[in-house]
Each structure stands twice: as C-alpha cells, then as structure tokens.
Amino acid sequence: MGKIFVLPPDAIEELLQTALVGRIACCDHGTEGGNGRPFLVPLAYGYDGESVYAFSAPGRKIQIMRAQPLVSFEVDSAEAADRWSSVIVEATYEELTSIEDRQRALEIIADGAEVPATTTSTIVYRLRVTSKSGRFEVPDDEAHRFQ
C-alpha cells in the first residue's frame, strides 16, 4: 500500500487525452423497464479539453442518458497495485444531430486515424464536462517527493 495524492490539473488533462478506454456511469432512475440501479460501461472515446465524445447504437445506455443526462466518466492507468492514477469527470449528456457536429466529434474520436463509419441510426454524443478530479498513488518509498 502506498500513499494517495490529488492529481494536478495538467496530469488530469494528460490522462484524459491518452487513456485508451473510459467508463461511463449513468443511473436509471425509474425509466420504463428500469430498476433504478447505476449502469457502468466501458467505451472508446475522444476528448478535446472540454468534452468527451463517443458514439453508440441505440440501447440501454442511450435510453438511460436520454432520461437522466447527468453522468460520470472515469479513466485510469495502473502499473502496479500501488502505482496508479485515476480521473473522474462529472458531465452532461448531449446528442449531436447536425452533420457538422457529428463529423467533428467523429474526428476527435478518431484522433488522426480513419474516421469510423456510422449509419443514420448511430447516436453520436458529447459529455459536456462540468467538473474533473483525480487521484494517484505511489509506493511509500516515493511518497516524500509529493508531500
């Protein structure tokens, strides 16, 4: 077990820019057929410094976020049990419907690679960030560098 510290803003931004997979958490507060439980899903994403972008086929996650657009998003990186960092973002779900907004979002997600193909039923969305926080842990013998 190491010591846990607050992740500085520049390290929060770096982790959001470089993590390969994020996890979105949304909560089903009684939508039709819902059970009121949180729903957590991993996803590939893009980040532009203000919002997280992703796309999905219609399904449970989209249904829940349409009913309750307040979500959390998490990314992390771990090298060992006592050497990791994690960022949690609070955000608001917004569907992107204009051709320009959808294309820009897909370009952000692709990050220089080929833009993913979508169909008219693909939901392209943004999680507009309202707050960010992060933590990291280092082994005890390195903790003095961060105190």
Side-chain angles (χ1 to χ4, degrees):
M1 218 43 197
K3 295 215 187 284
I4 297 174
F5 299 95
V6 172
L7 198 61
D10 60 328
I12 288 173
E13 292 303 312
E14 181 180 349
L15 188 53
L16 284 167
Q17 290 285 351
T18 60
L20 298 176
V21 174
R23 291 161 195 82
I24 189 167
C26 46
C27 197
D28 180 355
H29 292 289
T31 60
E32 186 173 328
N35 58 14
R37 295 185 57 90
F39 186 59
L40 179 67
V41 232
L43 55 95
Y45 71 97
Y47 176 70
D48 69 356
E50 295 179 10
S51 296
V52 172
Y53 296 86
F55 62 93
S56 175
R60 182 175 176 197
K61 171 179 73 242
I62 298 298
Q63 177 186 1
I64 292 170
M65 291 190 300
R66 283 175 173 166
Q68 172 48 271
L70 301 178
V71 301
S72 295
F73 180 76
E74 187 270 350
V75 293
D76 56 59
S77 174
E79 297 173 25
D82 61 354
R83 186 183 302 278
W84 55 263
S85 58
S86 174
V87 171
I88 296 177
V89 168
E90 299 299 324
T92 304
Y93 168 80
E94 299 175 350
E95 286 185 25
L96 302 175
T97 56
S98 79
I99 293 169
E100 297 81 17
D101 286 346
R102 290 170 61 91
Q103 184 62 32
R104 179 177 178 275
L106 292 171
E107 289 170 1
I108 291 167
I109 294 164
D111 193 29
E114 186 175 333
V115 173
T118 60
T119 67
T120 55
S121 65
T122 302
I123 309 298
V124 180
Y125 61 93
R126 151 176 61 214
L127 304 178
R128 192 175 297 277
V129 175
T130 56
S131 69
K132 300 175 255 193
S133 63
R135 301 286 184 271
F136 71 100
E137 182 177 1
V138 294
D140 284 331
D141 62 346
E142 293 180 31
H144 67 278
R145 296 184 357 209
F146 302 99
Q147 294 176 326

